[in-house]
Amino acid sequence: MAANGEKQQGHRAGAYKQKNKGHKHGKHRTKGEIERENKGRVSVMALTKKQRKEQKKMDRRNKANQLRRNKKEMVLTEKRRLGSRDGPPHLVAVVSLHAGADTGAVTKLLRGEGAGGVVRQEQCISGVTDSFGLILPRFKQRFTFLQQSTADMHSLLDVAKIADSLVFVLDSSEGWDSYGNHCLSCLFAQGLPSYTLVCQGVSDLPVKKRVESRRALSKITELRFPDARLFPLDTAQDAILLLRHLGTQRQRKLGFRSRRSHLLAQHATFTPNCPAEGTGAGPTGLGTLCVSGYVRGRPLRVDRLVHISGHGDFQLSQIDAPSDPLPLNLTAPRAAKPGIGGDVDMPDGGEDEAAVRVLMKADPSCRESLLAEAEVDPMEGEQTWPTETELLEAEEARKSKRVMKVPKGTSDYQAMWIVDEDEEENGEIDEESSDDDDDDDDMMDEAMDAEEEESSQDAGSCCASEAEEEEEEEEEVVCSTERAGADQRYDEHLDEAAEEEGLKRYREARANEMFPDEVDTPLNTPARIRFQRYRGLKSFRSSPWDPMENLPLNYSRIFQFQSFERTRHRILAEAAAEDDGAMVGWYVTLHIIDVPFSVMECVQSGKPLVLVSLLPHEQKMSVMHLLVRRHPSNTEPIKSKEELVFHCGFRRFRASPIFSQHTSADKHKMELFLRPDAPTVVSVYAPITFCPAGALLFKQRNDGIQDLVATGSLLSCDPQRVVLKRIVLSGHPFKINRRSAVVRYMFFNREDIMWFKPVELRTKWGRRGHIKEALGTHGHMKCVFDNQLRSQDTVLMNLYKRVYPRWTYDPFVPLPLPWVKREGTVEMDNLDVE
């Protein structure tokens, strides 16, 4: 201790004292220890974290709550807007799913005085008699009801595309019949909006049986509608409950319609063009179609193209805003708002004309073009004139070539293409078949079959004698008086041509299933000529195939994107951000120019008219791919390149597609028939449509009825998707000596063997090999394999060529017959069908 009694102070190290790095003991260090060691020094990670402006846990939670709240408010606002003062009327379609269900009784209760509504229009939709507008002052909502018949499948699907709600009328005992089940399959595949189930006749049953009836009907509906509520509709009180439910139910969004502006025609007029402006006035000429209706989905722009379902794409000249025919305020109808930036013209005339205002007029310089196909320049692929050096080299090569015998009359240019004397006779290439864009070998097969039948007259005579014996046996059976009348009545409803065509297609499908892609080598035509457009691949997975090689002429007429997905995201984002044009809920009149009179005839016949505004590029042709599955109700074989009717989004058209496997490789194998057990990609020439969009495929019979073939969705737009058709040539091992064998019946001349010598061989039992040499001149060849060959094995050779769809696109789909058979009954609709 110090002398003065104070405690001695110890030594303190300075601030610049060296501090050695501590030993890393491997234990966890807390945040406090790290901060004490750093003494205020900030690490690089912390600096970058501040630059990224990362939020704390509470801030992130608060932001998520705000986003959730905003989205909920947006959904509620959209839900409350439908049917309100500022939104379009709630469009409800009443559909019967059973032959015994009466939709007229449903609409009669809804429009009755007991429901508390005010009917403003008895015929609210142009051409459709069973439609009316209903205003409910009690709920401050307005509805448009449409009674849609299921006999016309096209009209049913068109109405379901734009309807806000569907009311399915069921039978009190059976629910729906077989045809109603078929309609439900089509609606579910296309995309079903909000729906409600209604049944009648429950109150007519005894009190003890009502509970059992509802319980049995609930069991039936659970199969298709697991979470649906069943509403009885027998009294006015039931009608009020149904209207309240329709106005407050959750709306199901359909992607293909929520991103596009669409409209259901409430009123339509047609004005023919003057002779100086168009093709002349008259039923067969063009004219201006004025369509009035409520804008739905997205704002409608006047410079965009509109598509009329079943008729094609058209341009708009102007958009008017007449007075709202279904105002929610019954005392003073509210006039439509003028458009943003649009000119307002008040035409002279009566009171009805004074309410019409011009919202906007189309600018020809900004309006989208109707150009659907690219302009083809036939001289674009021609070669330039050769230079003098090339001409001299060609002349020297001609002088130094070897001398060969050529047929009399052959020019020097033709002789340059002759390789030898054998190929001079058989080496002619059919230019028409090489330029044919459909790449189909069926016509060539039929021609060879006809030649074989002509050459084999003996076999034909035997077949004729057998046919005569069969006819005699049939005559003996018909002679029976007891069954003659029944057989005659049965044969009256039988189409012999359709039976023969079905038998032929069934045999082809069965042969393809048992022997996939196997074809017979022709006897009268060299295989190197018959299969000159095919090539061998060492590996279907890894061997290269240039997608721009030997493209058909139709590819010069289509459009393609560098990246379809990037373009799709950009177009949909721009469409979602648009806020100009005729807003959603406005009652407008569209002036559509250069419309054929057939559209007006369709409206006059009672068909609903559906319009949709197209996004950019959606009028241009390209190669579209759809991913579909075969419908279980279809049992007939569907062959590739067979004409089908497509429902893709808002479009309806006819085309001849090709089928291919759904894989992730760069090459895809073609399917000759639509497979029932796996998803299939359908490729077709069609206008561009941006995903998502549902797809339905129908096949039209000879009697006019269309059967549902497959359902699916739109996959992509990619003209460079390589689809390869495979054929398999088969041979039989004649002599086997360990790894080598003599194979016959694959080819029938020596030249074909030498031509296909580089192609690899395989067997059904998994052996690999190649052709070593030809033996003789009748098609025997010596082959070497990687292992011992069995006598019961079959030698195969795979050949491939690229195939393309047929250009048979037609936007005008014929209407199916307006009658439906339901359990022995026939329903007729008074429709004028051309």
Side-chain angles (χ1 to χ4, degrees), residues 84-361:
S84 64
R85 184 187 186 92
D86 299 328
H90 196 119
L91 181 58
V92 182
V94 184
V95 181
S96 173
L97 296 181
H98 195 278
D102 186 10
T103 56
V106 174
T107 56
K108 184 178 180 180
L109 275 175
L110 294 176
R111 75 172 69 183
E113 297 180 357
V118 179
V119 179
R120 295 287 295 180
Q121 291 176 310
E122 285 295 336
Q123 294 184 10
C124 188
I125 300 176
S126 178
V128 181
T129 56
D130 299 328
S131 62
F132 62 93
L134 184 66
I135 299 177
L136 293 175
R138 179 181 178 183
F139 301 145
K140 295 183 180 180
Q141 288 182 335
R142 50 182 179 169
F143 295 87
T144 299
F145 285 92
L146 168 64
Q147 183 178 341
Q148 179 59 43
S149 173
T150 57
D152 185 2
M153 182 59 67
H154 291 336
S155 298
L156 175 63
L157 293 176
D158 289 343
V159 169
K161 292 173 185 176
I162 60 172
D164 298 316
S165 299
L166 296 179
V167 175
F168 293 123
V169 185
L170 309 179
D171 184 70
S172 58
S173 58
E174 298 181 2
W176 53 78
D177 54 11
S178 58
Y179 185 75
N181 189 30
H182 170 70
C183 295
L184 286 178
S185 299
C186 298
L187 292 174
F188 273 101
Q190 177 181 259
L192 194 65
S194 302
Y195 55 86
T196 303
L197 304 182
V198 169
C199 67
Q200 287 185 317
V202 179
S203 60
D204 299 336
L205 299 175
V207 180
K208 295 182 178 180
K209 294 186 178 181
R210 291 181 186 177
V211 179
E212 297 179 0
S213 177
R214 295 197 61 177
R215 188 178 302 168
L217 193 57
S218 299
K219 280 188 177 181
I220 298 174
T221 56
E222 283 179 359
L223 300 175
R224 285 280 191 177
F225 310 99
D227 302 328
R229 178 184 173 187
L230 186 63
F231 287 85
L233 190 63
D234 295 316
T235 62
Q237 185 67 26
D238 296 337
I240 295 176
L241 294 178
L242 177 61
L243 291 174
R244 180 187 294 272
H245 174 74
L246 290 175
T248 58
Q249 70 176 348
R250 179 183 178 185
Q251 295 297 315
R252 303 180 63 182
K253 278 196 173 183
L254 300 180
F256 66 91
R257 78 176 183 182
S258 62
R259 292 177 171 86
R260 298 170 179 84
S261 175
H262 52 277
L263 179 144
L264 177 64
Q266 308 280 127
H267 180 70
T269 58
F270 184 82
T271 304
N273 291 338
C274 297
E277 297 179 1
T279 57
T284 59
L286 303 178
T288 301
L289 182 68
C290 297
V291 178
S292 301
Y294 293 94
V295 180
R296 302 173 185 271
R298 299 293 306 168
L300 179 61
R301 296 180 55 179
V302 71
D303 56 349
R304 292 283 173 84
L305 299 178
V306 293
H307 174 76
I308 302 178
S309 297
H311 298 280
D313 305 334
F314 304 95
Q315 291 178 329
L316 296 176
S317 60
Q318 71 179 35
I319 300 179
D320 299 340
S323 58
D324 194 342
L326 197 65
L328 192 59
N329 186 4
L330 299 180
T331 58
R334 182 173 59 92
K337 300 178 182 178
I340 300 176
D343 299 331
V344 179
D345 298 332
M346 300 295 293
D348 297 332
E351 296 180 358
D352 296 338
E353 296 182 356
V356 178
R357 299 179 180 179
V358 178
L359 292 180
M360 56 197 74
K361 292 186 177 181

Side-chain angles (χ1 to χ4, degrees), residues 45 73 91 111 183 276 325 344 347 511 554 570 575 587 605 619 630 640 659 664 714 761 803:
M45 296 298 294
E73 291 177 357
L91 181 58
R111 75 172 69 183
C183 295
V344 179
N554 286 332
R570 179 179 59 83
Y587 185 79
S605 64
Q619 81 280 10
R630 187 169 172 177
S640 183
F659 307 140
S664 59
L714 184 63
L761 300 176
V803 291

Side-chain angles (χ1 to χ4, degrees), residues 537-545 665-667:
L537 293 179
K538 185 176 181 60
S539 173
F540 184 83
R541 181 187 61 83
S542 60
S543 297
W545 194 294
D666 59 344
K667 297 180 290 297

